[in-house]
Amino acid sequence: MSTTTGKVTDTENMPDYVCIECGRDSNELYRYFGDSVLKITHCEYCGKVVDKYIEFDPVIILLDGVLLKAQAYRHILYNSKVSVHWKLCVLCMLCEAYIMVHWKLCVLCMLCEAYIKWSHLKSQNADGTKDFLYYALEWDYYAMFLIASVEFASFMFGVIAACQILQKISSTPTQSISLQVRALMLSSSGKLLVIPAVIWGQSGSLLLLWLTSLFVFTSSVQSVKVLFQRHTAVCCILVLCGYIVQILVQKFLTPGLELTLLTR
């Protein structure tokens, strides 16, 4: 009886997947026995299913991600891969979707961040509330988008730099910079909370800003914890390093950018 395993065949030195329960390496997620029999792989370390999410609907995975479950983060960051056995056209489309979804999510988050910044700026000078599309058509809104992108890039730089130092001075598992970038982009999805806030007319609420920042912080800590398997306190320090760099950029660079881009 022929068997087919659920793993990619490229020649990487590291295993293809990880167990979403214990975080240990795994060579496969499932195995086919013939045409109609599929067996889910169990982890040889913890004995649990390596990745239960391969049978779940994406909405369930999204909800578990919002709930900051480490299993969902491991599935998205490590096990959401495209098999090279698929037809070439399907492979290209799925690879593009897999690679670009993080960048599209990041751009959408930056647009939301820009809207929050610009709505606060407008509220100081405007009589009433403007429509969201009104700001989207203004140059200043895109200037705020650029500023928000710079600040988010500084945050990622601070976290990644701190993680690189941690990997040098300790026995922390080595992770690629591209994976760290994807993890931080994923954790920034909390900024999408501004969308329902815009619908409800609460985009200028300070409570919204604090809740969004708190969710992004906890999500970033969870992402770093999933990647490096360190104590929560250590992961908090790593993420705070990113916020320190971001605050420095906001204090010394952002005013100059606002003066240059918003002065017409």
Side-chain angles (χ1 to χ4, degrees):
M1 180 181 295
S2 61
T3 62
T4 303
T5 59
K7 61 180 180 180
V8 296
T9 57
D10 42 35
T11 57
E12 295 287 342
N13 294 327
M14 60 174 57
D16 300 307
Y17 306 104
V18 300
C19 173
I20 65 170
E21 301 294 341
C22 65
R24 305 293 289 271
D25 297 328
S26 177
N27 291 321
E28 60 186 16
L29 301 178
Y30 56 86
R31 178 170 296 184
Y32 279 113
F33 292 88
D35 296 331
S36 59
V37 180
L38 182 146
K39 182 180 179 181
I40 302 298
T41 303
H42 286 71
C43 179
E44 60 183 14
Y45 298 101
C46 67
K48 298 181 180 180
V49 174
V50 171
D51 192 345
K52 62 182 179 182
Y53 287 114
I54 61 176
E55 299 181 296
F56 283 26
D57 188 90
V59 176
I60 303 299
I61 302 174
L62 175 62
L63 291 176
D64 282 353
V66 171
L67 294 175
L68 304 179
K69 291 188 177 181
Q71 294 91 334
Y73 276 72
R74 291 191 182 103
H75 169 79
I76 296 172
L77 295 175
Y78 291 105
N79 297 343
S80 298
K81 298 181 180 179
V82 179
S83 173
V84 297
H85 299 291
W86 292 19
K87 293 182 179 180
L88 181 61
C89 61
V90 177
L91 173 64
C92 293
M93 293 176 63
L94 291 178
C95 283
E96 181 181 3
Y98 177 75
I99 294 173
M100 293 301 296
V101 66
H102 299 281
W103 296 98
K104 290 177 181 177
L105 178 62
C106 180
V107 171
L108 184 56
C109 291
M110 291 302 98
L111 286 170
C112 293
E113 180 85 0
Y115 176 71
I116 292 177
K117 289 177 175 292
W118 186 230
S119 63
H120 276 284
L121 182 63
K122 277 292 184 179
S123 65
Q124 299 175 0
N125 302 318
D127 298 332
T129 303
K130 299 292 186 179
D131 186 75
F132 176 78
L133 294 178
Y134 174 82
Y135 299 121
L137 295 175
E138 293 190 10
W139 157 251
D140 290 351
Y141 175 79
Y142 295 102
M144 285 298 181
F145 169 74
L146 177 61
I147 293 173
S149 300
V150 171
E151 292 178 356
F152 182 66
S154 66
F155 167 74
M156 289 197 298
F157 173 80
V159 175
I160 293 175
C163 291
Q164 293 299 309
I165 295 175
L166 179 66
Q167 291 179 101
K168 295 291 185 181
I169 64 177
S170 68
S171 57
T172 302
T174 302
Q175 302 291 349
S176 65
I177 293 180
S178 61
L179 183 60
Q180 296 176 48
V181 170
R182 293 208 313 271
L184 293 174
M185 287 181 176
L186 175 65
S187 64
S188 69
S189 59
K191 295 177 181 179
L192 297 177
L193 291 173
V194 71
I195 295 179
V198 170
I199 297 175
W200 296 330
Q202 300 294 325
S203 60
S205 171
L206 290 178
L207 178 61
L208 168 70
L209 295 178
W210 280 104
L211 289 177
T212 301
S213 300
L214 178 62
F215 182 83
V216 172
F217 173 77
T218 55
S219 182
S220 300
V221 171
Q222 185 70 291
S223 295
V224 174
K225 187 176 181 179
V226 166
L227 288 181
F228 297 103
Q229 303 176 21
R230 305 291 294 191
H231 192 273
T232 303
V234 176
C235 298
C236 288
I237 294 174
L238 295 174
V239 174
L240 287 175
C241 290
Y243 278 108
I244 290 174
V245 175
Q246 184 178 8
I247 291 173
L248 292 176
V249 170
Q250 290 174 342
K251 183 175 179 61
F252 296 104
L253 183 60
T254 298
L257 290 176
E258 291 179 347
L259 183 63
T260 302
L261 297 175
L262 301 180
T263 302
R264 293 181 295 175

